[in-house]
Amino acid sequence: MTASTASRSHELTVVEVITETPDAVSLVLMAAHHAREQFDYQAGQFLTLRIPARDGAVSRCYSLSSSPSADEHLKVTVKRTSGGLASNWLCDHAQPGMTLESLTPAGAFTVRPADSELIFMAAGSGITPVISMIRAQLLQSGRRVTLVYANRDLDSVIFGAALAELLAAHGDRLTVAHWLESESGLPTQAGLRALLPAKPGVDAAAYLCGPAAFMDVAAAALQDAGVAREHVHREVFVSLTTDAFAAPEPSTASAVDAASATVEIDGDTHEISWPKSEVLLDTLLSQGIDAPYACREGNCGACAYTLREGEVTMRVNDTLDDYELGIGVRLACQSIPESDHLTAVFDR
């Protein structure tokens, strides 16, 4: 681990392990007192954990199912998957008192401030960031919230009791509709459309999380309902193929053809020379600047920043949607400078 990695990597203690379903558990995690502020988060964000699996440690991203407005400690929910090295290890071995190494919270799958009516569509463990977002919105805003939640069967429903409690407390603003494959087969466009509001408002926004096939069908149902495409946001996770906790490779880029950049991270401003053949993240790390990252592959959003001045191109973008791109959000691990001067702000 490098010095820059150490400042954003911390040990979290497992306080409690909660069995949610026969194949899903929630881990309640506590940060050390000195690191509490480092783990402030927004509903919908995730942690990157280092899992000591049987064939060596691996890095995995897990959405936070806790709500920053309601819960004292962090909580992630993990569902067992066929061949899932990390998820199966956690389901089998996690216990109170053990520690897990974690990067600080990251991710851009959060409710936009301009949204009015909110629609959430989740399948399986895709409910994890969604329940965090729903709880936060019900406590902090007056928005109407609809949840459509798909599972194999009743026993597979994660947070069934918690959702029932939310309905009892906020039934005037919350609607929950379940789709069970054991009763209705795989989700269909027409079937999901029937569970959505009859006439969503013009400013309604939707947040999708689950397998890609489910999100495709859900997006089609939302289009039928009249929800604007630019108001439909997806959370996309893929397994990391790199070690998020490993030291980055040293930079080999030449500084002969370079842009100048002003980069703000956690309130600290850095003036840097940014080679036009190198991505922003590598430039920052090579200069000893502690920039956030996890996958370095363009698909997790941990290194997202806001481009305030200048232009960049991104080699890969599997995470940011049109809304985020429109307000200047970019990925540091994929950004190549096009302008001679740029201003970037990491404002997690």
Side-chain angles (χ1 to χ4, degrees), residues 167-239:
L167 272 172
H170 304 280
D172 56 330
R173 290 193 292 128
L174 174 64
T175 301
V176 177
H178 290 278
W179 179 289
L180 301 179
E181 293 178 17
S182 58
E183 298 176 2
S184 305
L186 291 173
T188 64
Q189 180 177 332
L192 293 179
R193 170 63 187 96
L195 301 178
L196 296 172
K199 294 182 179 180
V202 293
D203 293 327
Y207 295 83
L208 316 182
C209 191
F214 168 80
M215 291 196 289
D216 287 343
V217 174
L222 288 161
Q223 183 176 4
D224 282 352
V227 178
R229 181 178 178 183
E230 62 269 24
H231 293 166
V232 177
H233 312 289
R234 303 186 186 206
E235 177 68 307
V236 179
F237 278 124
V238 297
S239 273

Side-chain angles (χ1 to χ4, degrees), residues 95-158:
Q95 56 185 327
M98 72 182 297
T99 60
L100 294 170
E101 189 176 354
S102 175
L103 301 185
T104 51
F109 186 64
T110 56
V111 172
R112 279 54 169 172
D115 296 343
S116 55
E117 181 180 358
L118 299 174
I119 300 170
F120 296 95
M121 303 184 75
S125 58
I127 191 65
T128 303
V130 164
I131 195 166
S132 175
M133 298 161 81
I134 288 174
R135 291 177 68 205
Q137 289 303 310
L138 291 174
L139 289 172
Q140 297 174 347
S141 78
R143 295 165 169 161
R144 292 192 57 81
V145 176
T146 297
L147 168 65
V148 176
Y149 185 22
N151 282 283
R152 291 191 311 268
D153 51 39
L154 193 59
D155 289 339
S156 302
V157 176
I158 304 173

